[in-house]
Amino acid sequence: MSTTRFLTGITTTGTPHLGNFVGSIRPSVAASLRPGVQSFYFLADYHALIKCEDPVRIQRSTLEIAASWLAAGLDPEHVAFYRQSDIPEIPELNWLLSCVTGKGVLNRAHAYKASQDKNEAAGRETDDGVTAGLFMYPVLMAADILLFKAHKVPVGRDQVQHIEMARDIAASFNHLYGEHFVPPEAAIDEHVATLPGLDGRKMSKSYDNTIPLFSPREQLRRLIGGIQTDSRAPGEPKEAEGSALFQIYQAFSTAAEAEALRRQYAEGIAWGDAKQVLFERVDSVIGPMRERYESLIADPGRIEDTLLAGAERARALAQPFIQELRGAVGLRSLRGGAAAAPRPAASAKPAALPSFKQYREADGKFYFKLVAAEGRLLLQSTGFDVPRDAGQAIARLQREPGALAALAGHLAPVEGVGMQDVQAALDALARAAEG
């Protein structure tokens, strides 16, 4: 049976809450137990430095997140569970990849563009407050993924662009130095549960409406008691749909239990009673894990040893691979004498060609891009409502001589790329198609 490598990073800037457990921790722990899967889970503390300047918060968050995953059943003997900053090969690869990544690629990163848009709306300089860390974030994320040759990276739709960028960066490196990296794929679970918070909006630390995963029992009771409800009185029928209490209950109960509560809603259960039912159900799931969590939090050295052991396991893969990459780019020992001059590429294999890539973005629309053989972006489309229209536009560009001008309204300009460059790439594809 072939093995598929999955890799998941968790940024160390907050305290895990019920939404994190339902949406990420619980399904990830279950997935790590599937046969034919090799899992990598890491605490992304380098990434945390981009978002948080409080060293105490980062250290505490690292402890809380590690304890939460272990308490929830992650087996550090079965997976690679490590801290990003314990793998020195990651920042080294980050630099190697930075040297093959075009600035134009990074200019289009969603997080960077969002910061620019926010500044422009506020009348500030476009790059006000934008650090090099924020700008280079996609390259560091690519290093996290590519170092371990991950096949699948579970992400939300807002992170798909980063996986596409990692693929493009890998292609650029592979084109220059030979086939070293595995192109990763985004693994999007359309059924990932999201929980409402105390105010009915999505549970998020950004909204300050979370229920910490391992709140003490009485604090959990108080927080659940504070979930917003409507004014319908006891005995008055209530709608389960749209009820934050019911949605959270569903995430922790069986289908039969949820259906039973739905009937109680229709029969007019009092909100206070519904909150008590929810509290008991959540606590029955979290309670046993809470005991393990508190034991781990009380013994930070045990968590430290676990993370260092995971880093050792991860570095057993990373160290030989980074040496391979160092040799590929010419960072080699001089003891063996000067290396022979490289053979002309023409004697090896036909030149690589540009390629079209079609994909769907978080806005639900379909896009395509034309990428040069070395990974440089040449052409970017605007959004299409259906994939067929995007596909037909690609076909026209490949077959019709005047399609580039005819489709100008569906094409977005790419900084530093002239239409002559695009046309040259299209001509190369046409010649290849003709044989």
Side-chain angles (χ1 to χ4, degrees), residues 85-211:
S85 59
D86 288 331
I87 313 294
E89 291 78 14
I90 292 175
E92 180 170 358
L93 179 55
N94 179 55
W95 179 249
L96 298 184
L97 298 180
S98 296
C99 294
V100 302
T101 302
K103 179 176 180 291
V105 173
L106 300 177
N107 284 342
R108 290 181 289 279
H110 293 328
Y112 175 54
K113 289 176 67 177
S115 294
Q116 288 189 314
D117 292 344
K118 185 177 180 180
N119 282 334
E120 289 178 4
R124 296 189 292 262
E125 289 291 329
T126 304
D127 284 336
D128 183 50
V130 176
T131 65
L134 173 64
F135 186 70
M136 297 296 293
Y137 177 97
V139 184
L140 180 56
M141 186 170 177
D144 294 326
I145 297 166
L146 298 176
L147 182 62
F148 296 105
K149 300 183 179 181
H151 302 100
K152 303 281 188 179
V153 184
V155 291
R157 287 204 170 275
D158 61 335
Q159 289 285 317
V160 170
Q161 186 198 43
H162 286 134
I163 310 304
E164 284 291 329
M165 294 172 81
R167 290 175 63 89
D168 291 343
I169 293 169
S172 297
F173 191 97
N174 287 348
H175 175 75
L176 290 171
Y177 300 112
E179 296 294 322
H180 295 280
F181 293 121
V182 172
E185 295 181 2
I188 303 172
D189 187 347
E190 301 289 358
H191 304 292
V192 168
T194 58
L195 294 189
L198 299 174
D199 57 4
R201 293 181 294 175
K202 176 184 175 182
M203 190 176 292
S204 169
K205 61 178 182 245
S206 300
Y207 298 143
D208 193 26
N209 67 349
T210 65
I211 299 177

Side-chain angles (χ1 to χ4, degrees), residues 6 17 58 65 77 89 129 192 198 245 255 268 271 288 298 309 347 369 375 378 425:
F6 280 75
H17 53 71
I58 288 176
I65 291 172
E77 299 299 322
E89 291 78 14
V192 168
L198 299 174
L245 289 173
W271 287 126
S347 65
K369 58 186 175 181
L378 297 175

Side-chain angles (χ1 to χ4, degrees), residues 370-428:
L370 176 63
V371 181
E374 73 277 11
R376 182 168 63 106
L377 181 67
L378 297 175
L379 185 66
Q380 172 70 60
S381 79
T382 57
F384 293 84
D385 291 330
V386 293
R388 182 187 64 232
D389 292 345
Q392 288 176 347
I394 292 173
R396 289 184 63 188
L397 287 167
Q398 291 177 300
R399 297 171 188 166
E400 299 178 16
L404 193 57
L407 292 170
H410 292 288
L411 304 175
V414 175
E415 182 179 346
V417 177
M419 283 300 104
Q420 68 275 14
D421 297 324
V422 179
Q423 190 60 60
L426 294 174
D427 291 344

Side-chain angles (χ1 to χ4, degrees), residues 126-309:
T126 304
D127 284 336
D128 183 50
V130 176
T131 65
L134 173 64
F135 186 70
M136 297 296 293
Y137 177 97
V139 184
L140 180 56
M141 186 170 177
D144 294 326
I145 297 166
L146 298 176
L147 182 62
F148 296 105
K149 300 183 179 181
H151 302 100
K152 303 281 188 179
V153 184
V155 291
R157 287 204 170 275
D158 61 335
Q159 289 285 317
V160 170
Q161 186 198 43
H162 286 134
I163 310 304
E164 284 291 329
M165 294 172 81
R167 290 175 63 89
D168 291 343
I169 293 169
S172 297
F173 191 97
N174 287 348
H175 175 75
L176 290 171
Y177 300 112
E179 296 294 322
H180 295 280
F181 293 121
V182 172
E185 295 181 2
I188 303 172
D189 187 347
E190 301 289 358
H191 304 292
V192 168
T194 58
L195 294 189
L198 299 174
D199 57 4
R201 293 181 294 175
K202 176 184 175 182
M203 190 176 292
S204 169
K205 61 178 182 245
S206 300
Y207 298 143
D208 193 26
N209 67 349
T210 65
I211 299 177
L213 177 57
F214 293 116
S215 302
R217 180 179 165 86
E218 289 309 310
Q219 182 186 7
L220 176 65
R221 188 195 302 273
R222 288 195 301 273
L223 288 170
I224 289 176
I227 295 175
Q228 289 183 7
T229 56
D230 60 34
S231 59
R232 278 177 281 191
E236 188 177 352
K238 299 170 178 62
E239 294 292 335
E241 302 307 323
S243 165
L245 289 173
F246 187 79
Q247 290 178 54
I248 298 173
Y249 186 83
Q250 266 189 313
F252 285 87
S253 65
T254 66
E257 289 169 333
E259 187 56 35
L261 183 58
R262 187 188 298 274
R263 288 194 298 269
Q264 291 183 65
Y265 265 62
E267 294 165 0
I269 186 174
W271 287 126
D273 293 338
K275 290 177 178 181
Q276 180 62 25
V277 170
L278 173 61
F279 163 71
E280 291 173 355
R281 191 69 192 87
V282 171
D283 193 59
S284 71
V285 175
I286 300 302
M289 292 188 289
R290 185 191 294 121
E291 293 182 16
R292 295 194 294 272
Y293 174 82
E294 291 174 349
S295 174
L296 287 163
I297 286 289
D299 189 2
R302 180 179 165 193
I303 295 178
E304 181 72 13
D305 290 343
T306 298
L307 293 175
L308 292 177

Side-chain angles (χ1 to χ4, degrees), residues 305-389:
D305 290 343
T306 298
L307 293 175
L308 292 177
E312 185 176 349
R313 184 178 294 111
R315 292 196 69 197
L317 299 171
Q319 286 177 305
F321 187 38
I322 204 72
Q323 287 303 315
E324 172 190 323
L325 299 175
R326 287 171 64 91
V329 301
L331 305 180
R332 306 165 182 163
S333 170
L334 302 181
R335 294 184 184 279
R343 295 181 180 178
S347 65
K349 59 182 180 180
L353 290 168
S355 60
F356 279 98
K357 298 182 180 181
Q358 188 173 339
Y359 56 97
R360 190 177 188 181
E361 274 286 15
D363 60 6
K365 292 184 179 293
F366 297 86
Y367 296 77
F368 66 80
K369 58 186 175 181
L370 176 63
V371 181
E374 73 277 11
R376 182 168 63 106
L377 181 67
L378 297 175
L379 185 66
Q380 172 70 60
S381 79
T382 57
F384 293 84
D385 291 330
V386 293
R388 182 187 64 232
D389 292 345

